[in-house]
């Protein structure tokens, strides 16, 4: 068995990997981390990576899956790191890079999460599962569930664009449209899973979700090491097939890593930056990078519990009960423990939480398409709008290295492919009714 444990940061309790554990059995804390035998990896891991294809599964030793036979992959990860040449010239910030997660199998960075989460479901022998989503997670999980032969029920808020709902349905997932907020939708999904005794994807509380996102950090570290020292191409090798088949990178030396000064991402609950931070912290503890990045978490002003609470100095996020944004993929009104975790990191290591308007996001989408040829989803537009705001405020210095997560691209499914009965609708009643 691969060395992997579950650890509780609150009380230091540790035990063997247990996928079903959702809280610390010693102190009850809901925040658990996967930890590994880092000392065994310290000396030889960079050399081993040099022989592997550039997909997220090259980092196998630091992912919580025991048997590689259970890996479900469609080439996720290994996405390009693009220098934002024209944008950098316009902003006077020449070291801006874009992690182009549009290149994933279903067009978003959630393919990383789905690949690991569904692989873990397969390892547990699960055949049916439930997920709540604002769009991208449901699309990714549907694709990988189809590959695994797992029946999926997807609960989506009715504000999710119909194009995304149709793509979920195209994979054979049962779609339930909920007329309520995302937080209400998550509760409806949880009630449904409990009544039917089905596996419920736990999002941030799932080890697979957090651990999958740290592969972004590992890739960024390698790609920046290449981009800034000229040793290797910034795109790595094209993804392909099962983990570690065939030759690696044509005789390249050991992987060299570098962390950026800033990592910028639009957030809903905050899972992405949390996973990325853990990845860079592991690289730092392994002695592979000499710094930890500052995190910038961007939200839409119409649903910005994280940014608003941070600006007010709150230790616990004040929820937004009535989100008012057209960017539905980030419309989480209650970030919960994710906010507290990210706030602590930013206060200790630097960074910011900012809100920008929908109109600013849409303008940023136009800028990125016309400036650097990138058509991005509205959530990515939020990240770029946040970048513009931070540069204008002087938060980012000209010499600093910045990475922006271009988290996804929308691929619409034609209406005529599915007919009229591809989803069920459910209206959540008002409290007390």
């Amino acid at each position: 068995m691969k060395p992997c444990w579950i650890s509780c940061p609150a009380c230091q309790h540790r035990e063997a990997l247990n996928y079903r554990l959702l809280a610390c059995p010693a102190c009850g804390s809901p925040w658990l981390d996967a930890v590994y035998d880092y000392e065994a990896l310290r000396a030889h891991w960079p050399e081993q990576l040099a022989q592997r294809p550039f997909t997220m599964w090259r980092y196998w030793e630091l992912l919580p899956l025991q048997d590689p036979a259970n890996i479900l992959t469609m080439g996720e990860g290994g996405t390009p790191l693009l220098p934002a040449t024209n944008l950098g010239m316009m902003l006077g910030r020449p070291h801006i890079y874009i992690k182009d997660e549009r290149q994933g199998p279903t067009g978003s960075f959630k393919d990383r999460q789905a690949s690991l989460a569904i692989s873990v479901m397969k390892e547990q022998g699960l055949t049916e599962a439930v997920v709540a989503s604002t769009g991208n997670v449901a699309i990714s999980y549907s694709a990988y569930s189809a590959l695994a032969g797992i029946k999926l029920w997807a609960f989506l808020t009715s504000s999710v664009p119909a194009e995304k709902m149709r793509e979920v349905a195209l994979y054979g997932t049962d779609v339930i449209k909920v007329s309520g907020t995302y937080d209400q939708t998550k509760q409806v999904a949880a009630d449904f899973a409990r009544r039917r005794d089905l596996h419920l994807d736990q999002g941030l509380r799932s080890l697979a979700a957090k651990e999958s996102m740290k592969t972004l950090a590992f890739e960024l570290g390698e790609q920046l090491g290449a981009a800034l020292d000229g040793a290797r191409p910034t795109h790595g090798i094209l993804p392909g097939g099962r983990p570690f088949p065939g030759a690696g990178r044509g005789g390249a030396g050991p992987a060299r890593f570098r962390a950026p000064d800033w990592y910028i991402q639009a957030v809903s609950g905050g899972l992405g930056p949390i996973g990325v931070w853990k990845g860079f912290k592991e690289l730092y503890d392994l002695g592979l990078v000499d710094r930890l990045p500052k995190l910038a978490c961007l939200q839409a002003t119409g649903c910005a519990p994280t940014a608003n609470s941070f600006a007010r100095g709150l230790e616990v996020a004040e929820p937004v009960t009535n989100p008012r944004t057209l960017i539905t993929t980030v419309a989480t009104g209650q970030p919960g423990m994710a906010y507290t975790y990210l706030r602590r990191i930013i206060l200790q290591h630097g960074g910011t939480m900012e809100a920008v308007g929908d109109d600013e996001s849409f303008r940023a989408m136009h800028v990125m398409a016309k400036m650097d040829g990138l058509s991005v989803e509205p959530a990515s537009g939020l990240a770029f709008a946040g970048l513009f705001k931070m540069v204008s405020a002087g938060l980012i210095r000209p010499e600093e290295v910045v990475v922006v997560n271009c988290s996804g691209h929308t691929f619409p499914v034609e209406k005529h492919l599915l007919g009229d009965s591809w989803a069920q609708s459910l209206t959540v009643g008002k409290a007390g009714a």
Side-chain angles (χ1 to χ4, degrees), residues 215-419:
T215 62
L216 273 164
F218 297 158
E219 289 180 18
L220 286 172
E222 285 198 76
Q223 290 172 314
L224 282 176
L228 298 174
D229 68 20
R232 297 188 305 275
T234 59
H235 60 274
I237 282 181
L238 293 176
R242 300 296 298 171
F244 319 153
R249 290 175 290 173
R256 286 186 283 182
F257 294 82
R258 177 164 172 173
D261 296 294
W262 284 93
Y263 174 79
I264 300 175
Q265 184 183 320
V267 301
S268 183
L271 170 63
I274 286 171
V276 168
W277 173 261
K278 186 172 189 288
F280 277 115
K281 183 65 166 59
E282 288 181 339
L283 292 177
Y284 184 83
D285 291 343
L286 286 167
L288 296 174
V289 297
D290 62 357
R291 72 189 72 181
L292 293 168
K294 291 173 279 191
L295 299 180
C297 302
L298 279 301
Q299 294 196 300
T301 53
C303 186
T306 291
N308 293 343
S309 299
F310 184 78
R312 294 173 56 193
L314 302 179
E315 294 185 7
V316 177
E318 185 174 72
V320 173
T321 58
N322 186 25
R324 296 184 180 275
T325 175
L326 298 174
I327 307 174
T328 56
T329 54
V330 295
T332 297
Q334 174 55 279
M337 58 184 177
Y339 165 77
T340 303
Y341 183 87
L342 288 169
R343 178 179 182 271
R344 177 180 58 81
I345 289 172
I346 289 173
L347 291 178
Q348 289 179 355
H349 300 279
T352 188
M353 297 177 176
E354 301 283 347
V356 292
D358 287 10
D359 55 341
E360 296 173 273
S361 173
F362 300 149
R363 282 197 298 270
M365 293 170 67
H366 280 276
V367 170
M368 294 313 301
K370 295 166 182 172
M371 184 73 66
D372 278 292
L374 298 177
S375 175
V376 306
E377 68 173 357
S380 297
L382 274 176
F384 287 109
L387 168 66
F388 303 161
K389 181 177 180 179
M390 292 165 62
V391 169
S392 178
L395 292 178
I396 297 175
R397 300 191 300 272
E399 72 276 11
E400 290 187 304
V401 176
V402 180
V403 173
V404 182
N405 185 339
C406 180
S407 52
H409 192 313
T410 299
F411 296 100
V413 174
E414 297 294 333
K415 296 179 180 179
H416 62 269
L417 286 177
L418 296 170

Side-chain angles (χ1 to χ4, degrees), residues 86-96 391 396-399:
N86 296 329
L87 179 67
M89 290 177 59
M90 180 185 77
L91 297 177
R93 301 297 187 273
H95 307 298
I96 297 173
V391 169
I396 297 175
R397 300 191 300 272
E399 72 276 11

Side-chain angles (χ1 to χ4, degrees), residues 115-339:
S115 179
L116 182 55
I118 304 299
S119 295
V120 166
M121 290 183 198
K122 179 182 177 183
E123 187 154 275
Q124 295 179 83
L126 299 173
T127 59
E128 198 166 355
V130 177
V131 66
S133 171
T134 55
N136 287 342
V137 164
I139 292 171
S140 294
Y141 274 52
S142 295
Y144 285 85
S145 293
L147 181 63
I150 292 175
K151 168 67 177 177
L152 188 68
W153 300 81
F155 289 74
L156 300 101
T157 65
S158 56
S159 59
V160 171
E163 292 83 3
K164 289 197 171 188
M165 288 195 184
R166 286 197 293 268
E167 185 164 359
V168 173
L170 189 63
Y171 293 110
T173 296
D174 273 11
V175 176
I176 297 90
K177 297 188 292 184
V178 180
S179 296
T181 66
Y182 179 46
D183 296 299
Q184 290 173 320
T185 300
K186 288 189 290 185
Q187 186 58 56
V188 170
D191 293 342
F192 176 85
R194 185 180 62 254
R195 288 196 306 270
R196 297 209 176 192
D197 194 25
L198 299 177
H199 173 77
L200 174 68
D201 182 79
Q202 296 286 340
L204 183 62
R205 296 182 68 185
S206 160
L207 288 177
K210 283 187 291 187
E211 295 297 289
S212 66
M213 291 302 163
K214 74 183 186 185
T215 62
L216 273 164
F218 297 158
E219 289 180 18
L220 286 172
E222 285 198 76
Q223 290 172 314
L224 282 176
L228 298 174
D229 68 20
R232 297 188 305 275
T234 59
H235 60 274
I237 282 181
L238 293 176
R242 300 296 298 171
F244 319 153
R249 290 175 290 173
R256 286 186 283 182
F257 294 82
R258 177 164 172 173
D261 296 294
W262 284 93
Y263 174 79
I264 300 175
Q265 184 183 320
V267 301
S268 183
L271 170 63
I274 286 171
V276 168
W277 173 261
K278 186 172 189 288
F280 277 115
K281 183 65 166 59
E282 288 181 339
L283 292 177
Y284 184 83
D285 291 343
L286 286 167
L288 296 174
V289 297
D290 62 357
R291 72 189 72 181
L292 293 168
K294 291 173 279 191
L295 299 180
C297 302
L298 279 301
Q299 294 196 300
T301 53
C303 186
T306 291
N308 293 343
S309 299
F310 184 78
R312 294 173 56 193
L314 302 179
E315 294 185 7
V316 177
E318 185 174 72
V320 173
T321 58
N322 186 25
R324 296 184 180 275
T325 175
L326 298 174
I327 307 174
T328 56
T329 54
V330 295
T332 297
Q334 174 55 279
M337 58 184 177
Y339 165 77

